[in-house]
């Protein structure tokens, strides 16, 4: 069964505020706006994500698991990233589970204060075995900029 850690009302309100700031170019600790076309409605939906850059490749991680934006990104194959005036389209390539542990470790080291409790029980002290065990439950995508 897919893991989805649904946000409560307070988290939804906080995410909406941070998303609005990100859409206007104000980043809170690496946050950025991500837009993706809905798989059923075709409407563009916007969320806030933390953009992880490793060796010049940008990644987005879904700490809450199988969210709507994750499912939409898989179907659409492309997302828009950045503020309103500088959005760039990027193809998404889902990362295989065996390649996730290093990325998850970097993500947790940087944003644990923000995502604790939503990363399948991972902490900055999680062992390599724990990271591997959690990898199938945390979607990670590489962003490949469209030209």
């Amino acid at each position: 069964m897919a893991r989805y850690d649904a946000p409560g009302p307070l988290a939804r309100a906080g995410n909406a505020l941070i998303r609005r700031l990100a859409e206007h170019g104000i980043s809170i600790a690496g946050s950025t706006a991500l837009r993706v076309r809905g798989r059923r409605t075709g409407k563009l939906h916007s969320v806030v994500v933390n953009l992880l850059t490793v060796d010049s490749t940008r990644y987005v991680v879904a700490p809450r698991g199988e969210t709507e934006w994750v499912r939409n990104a898989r179907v659409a194959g492309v997302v828009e990233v950045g503020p309103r005036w500088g959005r760039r389209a990027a193809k998404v390539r889902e990362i295989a589970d065996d390649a996730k542990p290093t990325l998850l470790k970097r993500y947790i080291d940087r944003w644990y204060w923000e995502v604790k409790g939503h990363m399948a029980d991972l902490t900055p002290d999680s062992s390599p075995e724990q990271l591997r065990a959690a990898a199938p439950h945390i979607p990670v995508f590489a962003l490949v900029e469209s030209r």
Side-chain angles (χ1 to χ4, degrees):
M1 188 163 131
R3 183 185 73 83
Y4 173 53
D5 181 15
L10 188 59
R12 286 185 197 278
N15 287 342
L17 174 63
I18 294 169
R19 177 183 46 81
R20 283 189 201 99
L21 291 171
E23 287 174 343
H24 287 88
I26 301 168
S27 176
I28 308 295
S31 64
T32 193
L34 180 141
R35 290 188 349 152
V36 62
R37 195 159 301 280
R39 62 193 183 284
R40 290 182 287 230
T41 65
K43 282 180 34 181
L44 283 171
H45 298 277
S46 185
V47 297
V48 66
V49 296
N50 292 317
L51 206 53
L52 176 68
T53 303
V54 177
D55 298 331
S56 74
T57 299
R58 298 181 311 157
Y59 298 91
V60 289
V61 175
R64 292 182 177 273
E66 298 290 322
T67 64
E68 289 294 325
W69 78 258
V70 166
R71 290 180 259 173
N72 289 336
R74 285 179 179 140
V75 172
V78 66
V79 297
E80 295 176 0
V81 182
R84 289 182 176 178
W85 60 86
R87 276 190 196 121
R88 307 234 8 178
K91 293 180 182 177
V92 292
R93 179 178 47 84
E94 193 155 7
I95 301 302
D97 292 341
D98 61 345
K100 290 180 189 176
T102 301
L103 298 170
L104 294 176
K105 175 68 173 142
R106 286 183 177 223
Y107 188 90
I108 291 167
D109 285 348
R110 180 153 183 207
W111 287 292
Y112 181 71
W113 61 273
E114 182 182 337
V115 299
K116 64 183 168 191
H118 307 299
M119 289 287 293
D121 296 325
L122 295 177
T123 72
D125 298 323
S126 293
S127 69
E129 294 78 22
Q130 290 170 313
L131 291 164
R132 276 192 299 279
H137 308 290
I138 304 172
V140 178
F141 296 91
L143 300 179
V144 181
E145 203 165 294
S146 300
R147 303 229 182 252

